[in-house]
């Protein structure tokens, strides 16, 4: 299939493989989706190589079966507390002065910005140019062809612990496939659900998964900060199970069917039947009690998101608002809770649209965002930055997404 891109999102509960192509206008057209239960990943880190490889193989094989093609390479998302992003600056003089800036000048200044000191046990995953500065003029996205005597670049450098990155590569290689590129998951989630206008204005994406919550903060058309919080929807389920003395399966059912992120949305007269461990008959429980358990953990996640926004220094500079996504965001009143905690931001809940024939669109923001990145953010705009030829040398920008090019 022509120009097929295949992406892989390894979550704490499931592996999602999505294959897509570019439509006539450059939009992402989903061709197949495969999912598989995954118990070998915890908080973004591979903890069981064999289980993770099995989940990857199952998810990818389902896509292969649907499409009738073999998939040898995948673009994989990377997250976890070991993944860090920093803003770095590069500088090159232009000789002779005021000549037109070339592609080589841009590559040179980006490579200069990549010369940051990182410890030997860490590895660079991505380098995303945020903006260029020509002779002090900020906010330039495409400097090629412009005139100047000094070119500067601000680049978002993503690094991760080398051994943990290698474990992701090993899990994929154990299925007989290879990594085409790694993409920061908070960036992918943002591209999956944020509009072009929101990315340009400045916005926050909060992707609540099973074991973690990814936070991506966008400013002036690019990612400016990111974080992986060690809490997710699975912790809500665990709280319910422990406090109400139920099995994890019963706790999950109660959360999905009756849970809400704000306890006050439940009427005092509402009750739910709870089957406790060791009991043969379900007992009634005030629904509000269940929702109070849910709200406590969801509020903790919202407060942690608020702290990350404050840490970024972009409070009051995000007119695009905040978008919550992911399976953990589907609880009733999640958007209202975040709006209550983050009073200065407009909040909405969103999932990318995936045709119904591929199943639920819940938890697919990162996969759709990775596909969008691969299809719309052309690597040939700048080409390999390191000259190594593998995925670690690639530089892609968000220019194509923002300009709406096909």
């Amino acid at each position: 299939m022509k120009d097929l891109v295949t992406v892989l999102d390894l979550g704490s509960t499931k592996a999602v493989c999505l294959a897509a192509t570019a439509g006539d206008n450059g939009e992402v057209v989903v061709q197949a989706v495969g999912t598989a239960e995954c118990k070998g990943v915890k908080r973004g880190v591979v903890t069981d190589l064999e289980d993770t490889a099995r989940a990857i193989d199952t998810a990818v094989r389902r896509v292969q079966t649907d499409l009738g093609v073999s998939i040898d390479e995948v673009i994989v998302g990377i997250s976890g507390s070991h993944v860090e992003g920093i803003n770095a600056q590069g500088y090159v003089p232009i000789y002779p002065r005021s000549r037109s800036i070339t592609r080589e000048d841009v590559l040179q200044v980006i490579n200069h910005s990549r010369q940051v000191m990182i410890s030997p046990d860490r590895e660079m995953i991505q380098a995303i140019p945020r903006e260029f500065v020509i002779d002090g003029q900020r906010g330039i996205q495409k400097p090629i062809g412009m005139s100047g005597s000094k070119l500067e670049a601000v680049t978002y450098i993503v690094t991760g612990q080398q051994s943990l990155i290698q474990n992701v590569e090993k899990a994929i290689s154990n299925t007989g496939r290879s990594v085409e590129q790694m993409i920061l998951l908070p960036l992918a989630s943002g591209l999956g659900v944020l509009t072009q206008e929101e990315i340009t204005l400045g916005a926050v994406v909060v992707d609540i998964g099973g074991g973690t919550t990814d936070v991506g903060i966008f400013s002036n058309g690019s990612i400016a900060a990111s974080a992986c919080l060690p809490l997710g929807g699975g912790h809500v389920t665990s709280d319910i199970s422990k406090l109400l003395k139920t099995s994890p399966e019963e706790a999950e059912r109660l959360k999905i069917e009756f849970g809400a992120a704000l306890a006050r949305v439940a009427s005092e007269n509402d009750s739910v039947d709870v089957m406790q461990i060791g009991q043969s008959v379900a007992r009634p429980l005030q629904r509000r009690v269940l929702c109070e358990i849910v709200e406590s953990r969801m509020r903790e996640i919202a407060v942690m998101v608020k702290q990350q926004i404050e840490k970024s220094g972009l409070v009051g500079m995000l007119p695009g608002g905040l978008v919550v996504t992911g399976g953990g965001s589907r609880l009733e009143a999640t958007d209202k809770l975040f709006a209550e905690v983050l009073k200065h931001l407009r909040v909405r809940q969103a999932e990318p649209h995936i045709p119904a024939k591929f199943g639920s669109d819940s938890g697919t923001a990162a996969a759709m965002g990775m596909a969008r990145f691969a299809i719309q953010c052309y690597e040939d705009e700048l080409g390999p930055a390191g000259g190594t030829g593998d995925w670690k040398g690639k530089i892609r920008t968000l220019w194509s997404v923002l300009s709406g090019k096909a």
Side-chain angles (χ1 to χ4, degrees), residues 101-237:
I101 292 167
T102 65
R103 176 191 298 262
E104 288 66 36
D105 294 324
V106 174
L107 276 171
Q108 191 179 347
V109 77
I110 292 171
N111 277 326
H112 186 247
S113 71
R114 283 161 51 105
Q115 307 307 309
V116 291
M117 290 290 292
I118 58 174
S119 60
D121 64 339
R122 296 189 69 78
E123 190 167 1
M124 196 173 293
I125 299 167
Q126 271 188 294
I128 305 159
R130 287 189 57 198
E131 70 166 339
F132 294 93
V133 182
I134 299 176
D135 296 343
Q137 179 63 47
R138 301 186 67 88
I140 295 167
Q141 286 190 332
K142 295 186 178 182
I144 296 171
M146 299 178 76
S147 298
S149 58
K150 183 172 76 171
L151 177 64
E152 298 169 79
V154 179
T155 306
Y156 192 68
I157 306 287
V158 183
T159 68
Q161 194 169 319
Q162 196 171 57
S163 59
L164 301 182
I165 293 169
Q166 288 171 347
N167 285 338
V168 173
E169 290 183 288
K170 281 179 188 174
I172 293 168
S173 68
N174 285 356
T175 72
R177 301 175 182 90
S178 61
V179 174
E180 181 183 340
Q181 186 166 16
M182 286 193 178
I183 296 177
L184 177 69
L185 274 177
L187 167 64
S189 296
L191 292 176
V193 294
L194 294 177
T195 65
Q196 184 174 316
E197 184 182 30
E198 285 167 341
I199 293 172
T200 303
L201 288 172
V204 182
V205 64
V206 178
D207 191 341
I208 306 175
T212 58
T213 295
D214 284 319
V215 182
I217 303 172
F218 293 75
S219 177
N220 296 323
S222 189
I223 188 146
S226 61
C228 178
L229 309 179
L231 294 176
H235 295 83
V236 177
T237 304

